[in-house]
Amino acid sequence: AQQRAAYNAQQQQPAPQQKDESVLLCTSGYDRVIRFWEAPTGICNRQISINDSQINTLVISPDKKYLAAGGNPTMKLYQLQPFGRDPIQTFEGHTSNVVSIGFPIHQKWLFSASEDGTVKIWDKRSGVSQRDKTIRDKKTFVNCAVLHPNQGEIICCDQSGSVSVYDIAQDKIITSWKPEGKNIPIRSVTVSKDASMIIAANNRGTCYVYKPSVKSGGGGGNHGVDDYKQQSALNIMKQQASSQNMSDTKHLVTTHNSRADKNGMYTLTHKISAHDTYCLKSSLSPDGKFLATCSSDHSIKIFEVLNNFELLHELKGHRKWVWDMAFSADSAYLVSASSDKTAKLWDVKKGQKIITYEDHTKGVTCVALNDSSTP
């Protein structure tokens, strides 16, 4: 109750320069209903019913005015200000599950990735596809895609075990690699806000940490790379198991310095044994200090990025697979979505559950959170 009150108080603090201080939190999944929640109370205050498909992914636009929902095989765009239950645009062209969606900062277009093997760039107003890129082939699922902070590249991972970087302007894959050369499907990718690292998580619970090579530029973020290098250099000597229990080798972290791709654009720096089974989502916190992973083992794990990815907390409470997570803007909170029909709000530093959101009637597969005070 004390944590809940603290969270509530924090969200209610006024910011003089920003009119919209609302916390937008929504979840969806197999019951085909998007539910919007009062974050501190757990009350569902509104909902949107989707008739034609389950929802695989949800994204709130940076300015909080739009919500994009990806299903099978369409993507729909809803207006949040003012709120509308009918889509203002339906994007048609994918032939299978839409698994990832993203907005650039300027929000003039949005992208989607699908199990049909493609990434598409859409005009937000017309709903027309401006780019249609097959990442490997039509039979190789794209499992996840994120927009690079430079706003010009999309980082994808797929069922063949590849991580690929797609340059939107050039409409081509500028580099691609398989972690350790293995054909293990990569389930999730995440990139830090300063572009200093990319993390790819696979079906065996392993996370691979990459930094952009100096000559590639990596889309900026050199300051972050330098800081990260210094911290990594200190930690290389440690070679420690990333766990409070040093005899537990499950969370072993090894340090590396090997070229990832043939073009030499990315370098492998760390390998983390995060879970013993599927790592369904990996997510770097906005401040770059934490890596969160969630798994089919029902758990969520929080790792300290600047402490050699040492395991900070293992969050337990979900009873089935945990599919998705979203950090708050200040990196203090995490919301998770699970097949157990619930979503949960967690205190990241304390490693404790604050509240459970539980009105869904089937598995919850996706969550979107935007509590930022600035677009």
Side-chain angles (χ1 to χ4, degrees):
Q2 192 174 6
Q3 287 176 331
R4 198 176 299 177
Y7 179 79
N8 200 356
Q10 183 193 52
Q11 301 305 327
Q12 290 176 350
Q13 288 176 358
Q17 297 178 342
Q18 185 69 22
K19 291 180 181 178
D20 178 25
E21 275 299 297
S22 63
V23 178
L24 284 173
L25 172 62
C26 58
T27 55
S28 194
Y30 284 99
D31 64 4
R32 303 185 177 190
V33 177
I34 302 170
R35 296 186 182 274
F36 293 79
W37 306 90
E38 291 179 6
T41 65
I43 295 171
C44 176
N45 54 20
R46 50 190 172 164
Q47 63 186 54
I48 297 171
S49 294
I50 315 288
N51 296 321
D52 51 3
S53 165
Q54 84 275 3
I55 303 299
N56 305 314
T57 181
L58 290 170
V59 177
I60 298 165
S61 63
D63 64 5
K64 302 183 184 178
K65 291 182 179 179
Y66 302 96
L67 171 71
N72 184 5
T74 62
M75 176 174 66
K76 296 181 180 181
L77 188 67
Y78 296 88
Q79 190 165 300
L80 299 179
Q81 298 179 16
F83 181 77
R85 287 185 170 83
D86 295 320
I88 60 170
Q89 190 61 260
T90 298
F91 302 87
E92 297 179 329
H94 284 299
T95 58
S96 188
N97 283 296
V98 177
V99 294
S100 295
I101 300 171
F103 288 92
I105 294 169
H106 57 65
Q107 301 180 181
K108 292 178 182 177
W109 48 263
L110 64 164
F111 79 86
S112 60
S114 169
E115 289 180 352
D116 64 12
T118 70
V119 168
K120 297 181 190 292
I121 308 293
W122 306 87
D123 181 271
K124 191 176 72 175
R125 290 186 178 179
S126 69
V128 173
S129 173
Q130 299 173 325
R131 290 278 192 277
D132 182 359
K133 185 64 177 176
T134 300
I135 301 304
R136 287 189 70 82
D137 56 62
K138 298 284 187 182
K139 294 180 181 178
T140 303
F141 291 4
V142 175
N143 289 324
C144 181
V146 293
L147 185 64
H148 191 285
N150 65 17
Q151 307 291 294
E153 296 168 2
I154 295 172
I155 302 158
C156 316
C157 64
D158 63 49
Q159 197 71 8
S160 77
S162 294
V163 178
S164 303
V165 181
Y166 169 56
D167 185 298
I168 299 169
Q170 297 183 59
D171 193 26
K172 72 175 187 178
I173 305 296
I174 55 174
T175 193
S176 182
W177 70 91
K178 291 187 177 184
E180 296 187 305
K182 296 179 179 178
N183 296 322
I184 301 167
I186 304 293
R187 180 64 47 188
S188 177
V189 284
T190 179
V191 59
S192 61
K193 274 199 166 183
D194 68 353
S196 64
M197 74 183 78
I198 292 173
I199 298 179
N202 73 12
N203 270 6
R204 293 187 184 172
T206 303
C207 293
Y208 296 91
V209 183
Y210 298 95
K211 68 179 181 185
S213 304
V214 176
K215 67 177 182 179
S216 76
N222 291 331
H223 176 69
V225 174
D226 291 339
D227 290 346
Y228 185 59
K229 275 183 185 173
Q230 291 171 9
Q231 192 67 45
S232 294
L234 292 172
N235 288 324
I236 283 173
M237 295 181 289
K238 294 181 182 178
Q239 287 289 340
Q240 62 185 9
S242 181
S243 171
Q244 292 165 329
N245 179 358
M246 295 301 289
S247 64
D248 182 1
T249 58
K250 264 201 312 186
H251 310 297
L252 184 70
V253 177
T254 55
T255 53
H256 301 262
N257 184 22
S258 57
R259 190 169 74 171
D261 56 319
K262 292 179 180 177
N263 298 336
M265 294 179 66
Y266 286 91
T267 301
L268 176 67
T269 63
H270 294 77
K271 179 183 170 185
I272 310 160
S273 297
H275 302 269
D276 289 333
T277 182
Y278 299 104
C279 184
L280 299 172
K281 184 74 179 281
S282 60
S283 183
L284 282 161
S285 60
D287 65 7
K289 293 181 179 178
F290 304 107
L291 167 67
T293 62
C294 61
S295 170
S296 56
D297 66 12
H298 310 175
S299 77
I300 301 155
K301 292 181 181 176
I302 308 291
F303 300 90
E304 292 184 286
V305 172
L306 294 178
N307 192 20
N308 204 45
F309 294 93
E310 183 164 348
L311 180 66
L312 178 65
H313 295 298
E314 182 171 359
L315 309 180
K316 293 185 176 180
H318 282 298
R319 300 185 307 279
K320 292 186 178 180
W321 290 27
V322 186
W323 286 99
D324 197 12
M325 306 170 294
F327 275 101
S328 60
D330 63 1
S331 305
Y333 302 96
L334 184 76
V335 184
S336 55
S338 169
S339 293
D340 66 11
K341 306 178 188 177
T342 73
K344 294 181 187 293
L345 175 69
W346 308 85
D347 183 304
V348 172
K349 289 185 179 177
K350 293 180 180 177
Q352 295 173 349
K353 186 194 77 175
I354 299 173
I355 200 166
T356 298
Y357 308 98
E358 46 187 356
D359 280 350
H360 283 286
T361 58
K362 292 184 179 179
V364 185
T365 55
C366 52
V367 55
L369 171 65
N370 186 339
D371 63 339
S372 175
S373 58
T374 54

